[in-house]
Amino acid sequence: MFETAELGSRIPKSEYKVREPLLRQELLEVQQELREFGEFPVIIVFAGVDGAGKGHTVNLLNEWMDPRWLVTRAYDKPSDEERERPEYWRFWRDLPPKGRIGLFLSSWYSRPVLERAYGEIDVAHFDDRLDRIVAFENALAEDGALILKFWMHLSRDAQKRRLKSLEKDPLTRASVTERDWKHWSMYDAFVQAAELTIMRTSTGKAPWTVVEGVDHGYRSLTVGSIIRDAIRKHLEDRRLNKEIQSQQKLEMTKEAESETAPAADAEAEKESETKTTAPVTVLSALDMSKRLTKADYQKQLREYQAKLTLLHRKAHKKGVSTILVIEGPDAGGKGGAVRRITAALDARNFQVIPIAAPTDEERAQHYLWRFWRHLSRAGRMTVFDRSWYGRVLVERVEGFALEDEWKRAYAEINDFEEQLTDDGIVLLKYWIHISKEEQLARFKAREETPYKRWKLTEEDWRNRERWDDYALAVNDIVQHTSTRSAPWTLVEGNDKRYARVKVIKTLCERLAKALKEI
Amino acid sequence: MFETAELGSRIPKSEYKVREPLLRQELLEVQQELREFGEFPVIIVFAGVDGAGKGHTVNLLNEWMDPRWLVTRAYDKPSDEERERPEYWRFWRDLPPKGRIGLFLSSWYSRPVLERAYGEIDVAHFDDRLDRIVAFENALAEDGALILKFWMHLSRDAQKRRLKSLEKDPLTRASVTERDWKHWSMYDAFVQAAELTIMRTSTGKAPWTVVEGVDHGYRSLTVGSIIRDAIRKHLEDRRLNKEIQSQQKLEMTKEAESETAPAADAEAEKESETKTTAPVTVLSALDMSKRLTKADYQKQLREYQAKLTLLHRKAHKKGVSTILVIEGPDAGGKGGAVRRITAALDARNFQVIPIAAPTDEERAQHYLWRFWRHLSRAGRMTVFDRSWYGRVLVERVEGFALEDEWKRAYAEINDFEEQLTDDGIVLLKYWIHISKEEQLARFKAREETPYKRWKLTEEDWRNRERWDDYALAVNDIVQHTSTRSAPWTLVEGNDKRYARVKVIKTLCERLAKALKEI
């Protein structure tokens, strides 16, 4: 595919001098519009042959645009903090927030392409890496990000000439390294890996543009114009989209209003007839009568806590991290179960992350970003009290997420969890269930106990009205996201003792198995 | 001072069994109150002799309280990401936000005490380290944080017995290391360093409590009760404080209202007579007529940009970071000056941080936290377009910060900047000044140029009305914060060309000097 880029495309200096100031002005303007609109980030990836002007182009864009709303990131070898986390952690933490532009050099493409060119990985493994890239970019694009990727190309001879001329100039001499020459000698292997990469990862939402790198003027104006046009078009599309959505919402509100009046009485009825109308879900099959005597509970709890203490210490030594996701209805006993676990752990090596409404910094990012930031260093346990499943639970049921958004979330979640487990993290997901009657009893008890009253909010009562919707959502979650390496554990929670022991017991079993395998 | 803690204080098991559940309940309640009040963080430091139960106490607190609003941090050797930043960066990034509790093990005390005990630093140097701690804790306490510090003590013999008994139990055997025995053999040196530390760093706002570590029950109940009482008292104080402040504000508003009416006309007058009533400040002495011809400007700019490119590359190689603070009135030319600098830099190695209103995550922290988070790895340049001086500029003038807050900010800023320069960072601070007339001309020009109109806001006009207040604030800033290692550069900015060249020239000179010195 690089043949088309061998034409020696050039732009005469006189033409450049006319077009350059115009383009700069326009780029500044779209950047400003982007910032004002503030609803999506722009992610621009630069890759290609050494000496083809990647760094130079990025510097030029920094000069042309307002650097305050621009972030440039280049990746060297991972730091030890980065090495102790999944590969993509460092890319996630550097993503530009909505309204800003991020320029990425030697990005997520760099390692796969180099490893393939050096022959360190075979084609099948290389394919896996490219799949991961496609999934990553898709998740960002689906969230509204504009993604542009430029492949700067030089022919074998042109690259040689470029490196030599860089070496002659005292100002640029230092920028040519032995590594550059080494890569030049591997030109064919490198280009082969690159061709496959571009073919496999050029998607409609994140397309590659191959730019010939010989002529500075041609290269700069080409890249600049493509960026300008793409941002303009994306702004237009998103604005249109927003209008359509706000109209739809208006119509839905109207419909809802016309239905509300007669429904008010029905609400009271519904509460009493739950049992007959409740949908059949994975939760219906749970045996909610399971319980433990106090003596059994204390014996077993002590036994598993002692086990967990030892396993946790061993996991820490071996650098094996564990992530627990705890979900379930309000008053289902999530907090109590978490405390029975953490009581057995060394406080230096675990963290509990309660997930409530996102902060404004989090709202300005992809919804998975706020979970990435809490990933721990190796050998720790992280307990998420509620989690990324909020997207397909509360956000779905309450209509905070669009249908399109929560439907694609299953795939995004599977992809995210796969990265965790691929990194060697032991991932456990619990749904601690209680019956609707049990919840009512617990709500009432909370109302009557002074120091528990704060735990009960208006929202809890509201969520309760949507009981069946939540049950359906849980059913979908289990069907879509219970994978072999990250299965769901459904916990019968009407008896707190039974539930706590089941949670800690499962944790011990999984952890013991994982530690044996490594 | 440790003699008092040699009494072998114990609590009988039967008493413990009665007091423990009560204390747990009370701790949960104050934790909940703290969270609801949400206006200050609690920072609890644990230090002391190995085997005296620091880790055990922290684990117990995690069990007693709600771990969702509790953060525990222990510090090992710094990671490479941490090593490339000032020593306190890792403590700053771990500070609990308002409403939460942070438990710190082997914290900022650990290295100084160990280094002194090992004889690696002399007493003078040790004193410096303790001064740094006092300044750090003071800044947090002044911001409202509640700080508690526990020194867990054991006598030399008791420590030996404890280590031996830990070694006997198979569950705890692994927790006793060779290092523990090594430290035991250095008991006297260690205790001597500790005594000095406690004497020097036990301040009214961040006091130490020495707790005898022999008896588990005594230790736990003592620490727990002190925490409970301290949080209760702090909550009370802060609530009272808040009430007083809101009353004062009410009175001030009333006063202001009664004064506003006749002042409206005076405003118009004021604008015309600026020259006669303007206060004499460091800015009055600037020669605002300084300018450069276009030819001189282009020649000099090119010359210094070329220099800067080389210096920046050299600094990057040597791992020397540079931080630029750019302040000045609206339309003073800050953005233009920044772009003339960044044009000479490699985009991979600099970042521009525009400072506007804090995000809600930032608001939940000490006001310096949002600057700490942007400190770069070694060898980079960071340009702050507005900065931590906002506290003593806009926040002071507009009344967003209380008088007490902005007055103590000078010392906090000096301390912060000292940490930067001590870490080898080259710090430059610019005030780019323009005259009041020049600002008016520029505002008008912005109104008339379509693509510059967005730069001008209502707020700019409002700030202009406070011109003299800002001049006085700048005067105070220069007087309080111009230190030898971080001096202010006042830039005559009526002529943009002159200003840009002065900024980049100063930068080159400072950077060249700094690179020569290392």
Side-chain angles (χ1 to χ4, degrees):
Chain A
M1 77 185 64
F2 295 128
E3 274 81 287
T4 53
E6 301 284 335
L7 303 166
S9 321
R10 288 182 184 280
I11 284 183
K13 260 214 168 151
S14 54
E15 189 186 334
Y16 183 80
K17 272 199 174 159
V18 178
R19 288 179 56 190
E20 189 253 19
L22 269 175
L23 182 60
R24 285 176 77 143
Q25 181 56 38
E26 288 167 338
L27 277 171
L28 262 176
E29 278 167 23
V30 292
Q31 195 190 8
Q32 175 55 22
E33 265 189 80
L34 173 71
R35 197 160 74 83
E36 271 171 12
F37 187 63
E39 303 210 357
F40 64 88
V42 178
I43 293 161
I44 310 181
V45 170
F46 294 88
V49 173
D50 295 325
K54 291 173 300 219
H56 189 273
T57 309
V58 166
N59 283 331
L60 202 63
L61 288 170
N62 267 278
E63 206 181 310
W64 284 354
M65 293 199 266
D66 191 330
R68 290 179 298 176
W69 321 109
L70 203 62
V71 166
T72 304
R73 298 288 175 193
Y75 298 89
D76 212 327
K77 286 205 193 78
S79 73
D80 59 4
E81 289 206 12
E82 289 168 345
R83 243 190 320 270
E84 291 193 10
R85 297 183 168 97
E87 188 188 345
Y88 276 59
W89 180 77
R90 58 177 179 164
F91 304 126
W92 273 94
R93 70 167 174 173
D94 287 346
L95 290 178
K98 291 168 184 169
R100 304 212 186 180
I101 300 175
L103 307 179
F104 291 88
L105 275 161
S106 47
S107 63
W108 39 95
Y109 285 96
S110 181
R111 271 176 61 188
V113 170
L114 281 178
E115 285 177 12
R116 180 66 200 129
Y118 275 97
E120 289 167 9
I121 53 176
D122 60 20
V123 177
H125 193 176
F126 186 47
D127 258 359
D128 286 347
R129 306 288 296 265
L130 298 181
D131 281 346
R132 154 88 45 249
I133 290 178
V134 171
F136 174 58
E137 292 180 351
N138 250 335
L140 300 177
E142 290 279 4
D143 191 48
L146 170 62
I147 304 178
L148 297 168
K149 302 183 289 195
F150 294 98
W151 187 273
M152 308 295 210
H153 195 66
L154 283 179
S155 69
R156 196 183 154 91
D157 290 347
Q159 189 185 15
K160 189 174 177 181
R161 283 196 300 276
R162 169 64 55 86
L163 291 176
K164 289 228 156 155
S165 89
L166 285 173
E167 279 184 334
K168 260 183 213 152
D169 186 340
L171 258 173
T172 53
R173 190 177 298 150
S175 71
V176 181
T177 62
E178 257 181 57
R179 197 160 166 266
D180 291 333
W181 281 114
K182 168 118 208 249
H183 286 176
W184 178 77
S185 74
M186 294 161 48
Y187 187 89
D188 291 337
F190 187 69
V191 164
Q192 213 180 3
E195 280 200 322
L196 195 58
T197 303
I198 292 179
M199 265 188 325
R200 288 284 318 278
T201 63
S202 211
T203 59
K205 276 170 179 159
W208 277 103
T209 307
V210 178
V211 181
E212 200 181 352
V214 173
D215 182 56
H216 158 71
Y218 170 79
R219 190 181 63 218
S220 319
L221 292 183
T222 304
V223 170
S225 320
I226 290 174
I227 293 175
R228 174 199 62 201
D229 296 342
I231 297 180
R232 273 190 189 154
K233 181 156 180 319
H234 209 66
L235 275 167
E236 216 171 274
D237 291 352
R238 299 283 302 189
R239 279 195 185 119
L240 198 67
N241 228 312
K242 213 177 147 187
E243 238 169 76
I244 294 170
Q245 274 172 21
S246 69
Q247 275 180 1
Q248 283 175 343
K249 237 183 210 163
L250 207 71
E251 279 161 27
M252 272 169 62
T253 321
K254 274 184 204 156
E255 275 173 43
E257 275 169 4
S258 61
E259 279 173 15
T260 312
D265 283 85
E267 205 65 50
E269 267 172 64
K270 214 165 132 202
E271 177 88 20
S272 62
E273 51 175 12
T274 324
K275 276 168 210 156
T276 52
T277 62
V280 178
T281 67
V282 289
L283 300 174
S284 328
L286 293 179
D287 175 4
M288 298 303 285
S289 68
K290 288 190 177 169
R291 39 194 77 248
L292 275 184
T293 65
K294 193 167 177 184
D296 275 353
Y297 167 67
Q298 283 178 338
K299 188 174 155 279
Q300 291 190 37
L301 185 67
R302 230 172 332 200
E303 177 194 331
Y304 286 116
Q305 284 185 332
K307 256 190 201 158
L308 184 56
T309 302
L310 291 175
L311 287 166
H312 179 54
R313 198 174 296 153
K314 198 169 160 197
H316 180 65
K317 245 190 210 155
K318 293 198 173 183
V320 173
S321 285
T322 310
I323 293 180
L324 264 66
V325 167
I326 315 276
E327 295 276 1
D330 298 318
K334 295 188 291 296
V338 169
R339 271 154 70 175
R340 296 314 175 289
I341 291 169
T342 57
L345 306 178
D346 187 328
R348 282 169 278 207
N349 299 323
F350 79 83
Q351 53 174 347
V352 179
I353 311 289
I355 297 299
T359 68
D360 57 4
E361 291 186 30
E362 289 170 342
R363 243 189 304 270
Q365 300 273 4
H366 185 281
Y367 86 93
L368 282 175
W369 182 82
R370 64 197 201 109
F371 306 106
W372 274 96
R373 71 194 300 208
H374 288 300
L375 295 188
S376 73
R377 305 193 65 174
R380 270 75 162 182
M381 189 173 293
T382 306
V383 182
F384 285 94
D385 184 340
R386 304 200 188 279
S387 69
W388 43 94
Y389 284 96
R391 189 73 161 197
V392 283
L393 275 168
V394 56
E395 290 188 43
R396 165 186 171 174
V397 172
E398 301 294 334
F400 301 148
L402 300 170
E403 184 167 344
D404 180 46
E405 283 175 330
W406 64 258
K407 281 206 165 154
R408 69 168 186 264
Y410 298 119
E412 291 176 359
I413 287 172
N414 281 333
D415 182 56
F416 172 52
E417 293 185 351
E418 199 185 311
Q419 291 190 64
L420 300 179
T421 53
D422 279 359
D423 194 51
I425 294 170
V426 180
L427 174 61
L428 288 104
K429 305 182 292 195
Y430 293 99
W431 179 267
I432 303 181
H433 197 60
I434 50 172
S435 65
K436 204 173 173 189
E437 296 72 30
E438 177 66 22
Q439 189 187 47
L440 190 64
R442 292 191 188 177
F443 277 12
K444 288 197 171 149
R446 283 184 177 182
E447 277 186 328
E448 280 154 23
T449 317
Y451 66 85
K452 282 190 173 169
R453 214 171 281 150
W454 63 271
K455 281 182 155 184
L456 193 66
T457 63
E458 271 302 305
E459 212 187 319
D460 294 334
W461 288 106
R462 267 204 311 282
N463 291 343
R464 188 172 158 73
E465 287 171 17
R466 306 258 195 176
W467 189 272
D468 291 346
D469 295 338
Y470 276 102
L472 282 172
V474 174
N475 195 57
D476 285 354
I477 284 175
V478 173
Q479 279 181 0
H480 285 100
T481 66
S482 215
T483 59
R484 216 178 56 84
S485 53
W488 274 96
T489 304
L490 303 179
V491 180
E492 301 82 351
N494 273 5
D495 180 51
K496 285 183 181 176
R497 293 180 201 137
Y498 177 83
R500 289 169 186 168
V501 167
K502 179 163 179 179
V503 168
I504 195 169
K505 186 181 163 201
T506 327
L507 171 56
C508 285
E509 286 166 358
R510 279 286 308 282
L511 206 48
K513 193 159 164 279
L515 290 172
K516 232 173 258 163
E517 279 169 6
I518 57 162
Chain B
M1 74 185 66
F2 294 127
E3 274 81 286
T4 53
E6 301 285 333
L7 303 166
S9 321
R10 289 184 184 278
I11 284 183
K13 259 210 170 152
S14 54
E15 188 186 336
Y16 183 79
K17 271 198 175 162
V18 178
R19 287 178 57 189
E20 189 252 21
L22 269 174
L23 181 59
R24 286 177 78 146
Q25 181 56 38
E26 288 167 337
L27 277 171
L28 262 176
E29 278 167 23
V30 293
Q31 195 191 7
Q32 175 56 21
E33 265 189 80
L34 173 72
R35 197 158 75 82
E36 271 171 11
F37 188 62
E39 303 210 357
F40 64 87
V42 178
I43 293 161
I44 309 180
V45 171
F46 295 88
V49 173
D50 295 325
K54 291 172 300 217
H56 189 273
T57 309
V58 166
N59 284 330
L60 202 63
L61 289 170
N62 268 277
E63 208 182 308
W64 285 354
M65 293 199 265
D66 191 330
R68 290 179 298 175
W69 320 110
L70 204 61
V71 166
T72 304
R73 299 288 176 193
Y75 298 90
D76 212 328
K77 287 205 192 80
S79 74
D80 60 3
E81 289 205 11
E82 289 167 344
R83 244 190 319 271
E84 291 191 9
R85 298 182 166 97
E87 188 189 344
Y88 275 58
W89 181 77
R90 57 177 179 163
F91 304 126
W92 273 94
R93 70 168 172 171
D94 287 346
L95 289 177
K98 290 167 184 168
R100 304 212 187 182
I101 300 175
L103 306 179
F104 292 88
L105 275 162
S106 49
S107 63
W108 38 96
Y109 284 95
S110 181
R111 271 177 60 189
V113 171
L114 281 178
E115 286 177 11
R116 180 65 199 132
Y118 276 96
E120 288 167 10
I121 53 176
D122 59 20
V123 176
H125 193 175
F126 185 46
D127 258 359
D128 286 347
R129 306 286 296 266
L130 298 180
D131 280 346
R132 153 89 46 249
I133 290 178
V134 171
F136 174 57
E137 292 179 352
N138 250 335
L140 299 177
E142 289 279 7
D143 191 47
L146 169 62
I147 304 178
L148 297 168
K149 303 183 291 196
F150 294 98
W151 186 273
M152 307 295 207
H153 194 66
L154 284 179
S155 70
R156 194 182 156 92
D157 291 345
Q159 189 184 15
K160 188 175 177 183
R161 282 196 302 274
R162 170 62 55 86
L163 291 175
K164 289 228 156 155
S165 88
L166 286 173
E167 277 184 334
K168 260 183 215 153
D169 186 340
L171 258 173
T172 53
R173 191 178 298 149
S175 71
V176 180
T177 63
E178 259 181 57
R179 198 160 167 266
D180 291 334
W181 282 114
K182 168 119 207 246
H183 286 176
W184 178 76
S185 73
M186 294 161 50
Y187 187 89
D188 291 338
F190 187 69
V191 164
Q192 212 180 6
E195 282 201 321
L196 196 58
T197 303
I198 293 179
M199 268 188 326
R200 288 286 316 280
T201 63
S202 210
T203 60
K205 277 171 179 156
W208 277 102
T209 306
V210 178
V211 180
E212 200 182 352
V214 173
D215 182 56
H216 157 69
Y218 171 79
R219 189 181 64 217
S220 317
L221 292 183
T222 304
V223 170
S225 320
I226 291 174
I227 293 175
R228 175 200 61 200
D229 296 342
I231 297 180
R232 274 190 189 154
K233 181 159 181 316
H234 209 67
L235 274 167
E236 215 172 275
D237 292 352
R238 300 283 301 187
R239 280 197 185 117
L240 197 69
N241 228 312
K242 213 176 147 187
E243 237 169 76
I244 294 170
Q245 273 170 23
S246 68
Q247 275 181 2
Q248 283 175 343
K249 236 182 212 163
L250 206 73
E251 279 161 26
M252 272 169 62
T253 321
K254 275 185 203 155
E255 275 174 41
E257 274 169 4
S258 62
E259 280 174 14
T260 313
D265 284 84
E267 204 66 48
E269 268 173 61
K270 213 167 135 202
E271 177 86 23
S272 61
E273 50 176 13
T274 323
K275 276 169 210 154
T276 52
T277 62
V280 179
T281 66
V282 288
L283 299 174
S284 329
L286 292 179
D287 175 4
M288 297 302 286
S289 68
K290 286 190 178 169
R291 38 194 79 248
L292 275 184
T293 65
K294 193 167 180 183
D296 276 352
Y297 168 65
Q298 282 177 339
K299 188 172 154 282
Q300 291 190 38
L301 184 66
R302 231 173 332 204
E303 177 194 329
Y304 286 116
Q305 283 185 333
K307 255 189 201 158
L308 184 56
T309 301
L310 291 175
L311 286 166
H312 179 54
R313 199 174 295 152
K314 198 169 159 197
H316 180 65
K317 245 190 211 155
K318 294 198 173 185
V320 173
S321 285
T322 310
I323 292 179
L324 265 65
V325 166
I326 315 276
E327 295 276 1
D330 299 318
K334 294 189 292 295
V338 169
R339 272 155 70 177
R340 295 316 176 288
I341 291 169
T342 57
L345 307 178
D346 186 328
R348 282 169 278 207
N349 299 324
F350 79 83
Q351 54 174 347
V352 179
I353 312 290
I355 297 299
T359 68
D360 55 4
E361 291 186 30
E362 289 169 341
R363 244 189 303 268
Q365 301 272 5
H366 185 280
Y367 86 94
L368 282 174
W369 183 83
R370 57 197 289 238
F371 306 106
W372 273 95
R373 72 194 298 205
H374 288 300
L375 296 187
S376 72
R377 304 192 66 174
R380 271 73 163 182
M381 190 174 292
T382 306
V383 183
F384 285 94
D385 184 339
R386 305 203 188 277
S387 69
W388 43 93
Y389 284 96
R391 190 72 162 198
V392 284
L393 275 168
V394 57
E395 290 188 43
R396 165 186 171 174
V397 172
E398 302 292 334
F400 301 149
L402 300 171
E403 183 165 345
D404 179 46
E405 284 176 330
W406 64 257
K407 282 206 165 154
R408 71 167 184 262
Y410 298 120
E412 291 176 358
I413 288 173
N414 280 333
D415 182 56
F416 172 53
E417 294 184 351
E418 198 185 311
Q419 291 190 63
L420 301 179
T421 53
D422 278 358
D423 194 51
I425 295 170
V426 179
L427 174 61
L428 288 104
K429 305 182 291 195
Y430 293 99
W431 180 269
I432 304 180
H433 197 60
I434 50 172
S435 65
K436 203 172 174 189
E437 297 73 30
E438 178 65 24
Q439 188 188 47
L440 190 65
R442 290 191 189 176
F443 277 11
K444 287 197 171 147
R446 283 184 176 182
E447 278 186 327
E448 281 154 23
T449 318
Y451 66 87
K452 282 189 174 169
R453 215 171 281 153
W454 63 271
K455 282 180 153 185
L456 192 65
T457 64
E458 271 303 304
E459 211 189 319
D460 293 336
W461 288 107
R462 266 203 312 280
N463 291 343
R464 187 171 158 73
E465 286 171 17
R466 306 261 196 173
W467 187 272
D468 291 346
D469 294 338
Y470 275 102
L472 282 172
V474 174
N475 194 58
D476 284 354
I477 285 176
V478 174
Q479 279 181 358
H480 286 99
T481 65
S482 216
T483 59
R484 214 178 57 84
S485 54
W488 275 96
T489 305
L490 303 178
V491 180
E492 301 82 351
N494 273 4
D495 180 52
K496 285 183 182 178
R497 293 179 200 137
Y498 177 83
R500 288 169 186 170
V501 167
K502 178 161 178 179
V503 169
I504 195 168
K505 186 179 162 202
T506 326
L507 171 57
C508 286
E509 287 166 357
R510 277 286 306 282
L511 206 48
K513 192 159 164 280
L515 290 172
K516 231 174 259 163
E517 280 169 6
I518 58 161

